Amino acid sequence: MNELKPAQAGTLESNDIMITIAPGAQGSGVVIDLESIVLAQYGPAIKQTIAAVVAEQNVTDIYIKAVDRGALDCTIQARTLTALARMGVISPKELI
């Protein structure tokens, strides 16, 4: 397996989300740090969407920084998958 490296996907434009991920310490689990313009209304839902994508890929011990600007669920899922692929956790071919 390739060495895992920090990666990111997305932008800080309106209706998008920037996902930055890095390998976590062994046993740390999935840590999600979220900043959002709609944190009070949708914070738990955004975290749940990110966590679901990570769980589907069987990823553990990862740090995720998400800066949201009102992204839809489909955008959050796509950005998370892309960041995981860039990190080397999943093959880009699996995204097709």
Side-chain angles (χ1 to χ4, degrees), residues 34-82:
L34 175 65
E35 291 180 24
S36 176
I37 59 174
V38 291
L39 186 63
Q41 298 92 340
Y42 298 108
I46 295 168
K47 284 185 175 184
Q48 182 178 8
T49 299
I50 295 169
V53 171
V54 170
E56 286 174 6
Q57 300 302 319
N58 297 316
V59 176
T60 58
D61 304 331
I62 189 169
Y63 173 78
I64 302 169
K65 170 74 174 175
V67 181
D68 174 60
R69 296 290 182 252
L72 298 174
D73 279 355
C74 57
T75 304
I76 296 166
Q77 292 167 350
R79 298 302 192 204
T80 305
L81 277 173
T82 301

Side-chain angles (χ1 to χ4, degrees), residues 2-54:
N2 296 337
E3 182 180 336
L4 300 180
K5 59 186 185 237
Q8 73 178 30
T11 69
L12 296 176
E13 299 293 323
S14 183
N15 300 316
D16 203 353
I17 187 168
M18 169 115 22
I19 301 283
T20 306
I21 58 176
Q26 189 171 10
S28 66
V30 177
V31 178
I32 302 172
D33 182 12
L34 175 65
E35 291 180 24
S36 176
I37 59 174
V38 291
L39 186 63
Q41 298 92 340
Y42 298 108
I46 295 168
K47 284 185 175 184
Q48 182 178 8
T49 299
I50 295 169
V53 171
V54 170

